Amino acid sequence: DDVLALMAHLDIDRAVVCGVSMGGYVAFGMWRRAPARVAGLVLSNTKATADSDEARAGRNTMIDLARRDGPAGIAREMVPRLLGKTTKHQQPDLEDAVRRLILVNSTEGIVTALGALKTRPDSTPLLSGITVPTVVIARSISRNALSLSSTSRTLPSVYSRLEPTGVLRRSETNPSSASGTNSVSMTQPPLRCP
């Protein structure tokens, strides 16, 4: 609702909505509430499914940790989970930057965000009804990313995936879909990401 209100305030009728991780849930929410306002979607490192019982229990544990130890406790727990060994090795300064990003949040903000995450609806049924050009970007190493194989069977638009080599591949998901004119084939050269 806040994003739609901001768009109205800025006199933006339609926009391409890009959602990274938690932002993907916001993008799904915008599609659910106001699809006419969405000109396209970019869903990066996100997922359509709701939290499992196990994931909700984990969110409750994190809420308890945030209430007990504040942002410092969340940073202590999450920074090792958010950055893999390769990232830590290749970008050693990133660990401190991520820690600082967590520490600037209030305990209340963290608890509210975790509560929203654990109660978000399943957006999987929305996938087959998305009619705007859509790009899905996911690292193959991300265990939580929107499943490209299942998405390709249900999402009637273009999707791509960022490979570990840093190459953004273009793919055709559903050539029989009404949005087939927006699709490109794997025969086109990959886009290089800087």
Side-chain angles (χ1 to χ4, degrees), residues 89-149:
H89 176 72
Q90 292 178 351
Q91 301 177 60
D93 295 341
L94 191 57
E95 190 169 351
D96 284 335
V98 170
R99 183 175 288 103
R100 286 192 306 272
L101 285 172
I102 294 170
L103 292 174
V104 298
N105 290 279
S106 68
T107 298
E108 179 184 347
I110 292 170
V111 168
T112 301
L114 288 166
L117 287 171
K118 77 175 187 170
T119 59
R120 74 182 184 281
D122 182 3
S123 294
T124 306
L126 296 177
L127 294 176
S128 63
I130 293 175
T131 56
V132 295
T134 301
V135 175
V136 175
I137 303 171
R139 293 287 308 262
S140 60
I141 60 173
S142 176
R143 67 186 186 283
N144 294 321
L146 191 60
S147 167
L148 295 176
S149 60

Side-chain angles (χ1 to χ4, degrees), residues 24-62:
Y25 310 147
V26 174
F28 284 129
M30 287 184 65
W31 181 260
R32 184 180 288 109
R33 286 189 166 107
R37 306 287 306 274
V38 179
L41 289 166
V42 178
L43 303 169
S44 177
N45 298 296
T46 193
K47 59 183 179 176
T49 58
D51 271 359
S52 65
D53 290 341
E54 180 182 347
R56 281 191 293 277
R59 305 258 192 228
N60 287 333
T61 299
M62 294 301 286

Side-chain angles (χ1 to χ4, degrees), residues 159-183:
Y159 78 87
S160 298
R161 64 186 166 94
L162 183 61
E163 297 181 346
T165 59
V167 174
L168 184 63
R169 294 251 182 230
R170 298 187 227 189
S171 304
E172 184 175 336
T173 62
N174 188 348
S176 64
S177 73
S179 61
T181 57
N182 296 322
S183 297

Side-chain angles (χ1 to χ4, degrees), residues 150-161:
S150 65
T151 302
S152 68
R153 290 189 299 271
T154 56
L155 185 65
S157 265
V158 175
Y159 78 87
S160 298
R161 64 186 166 94

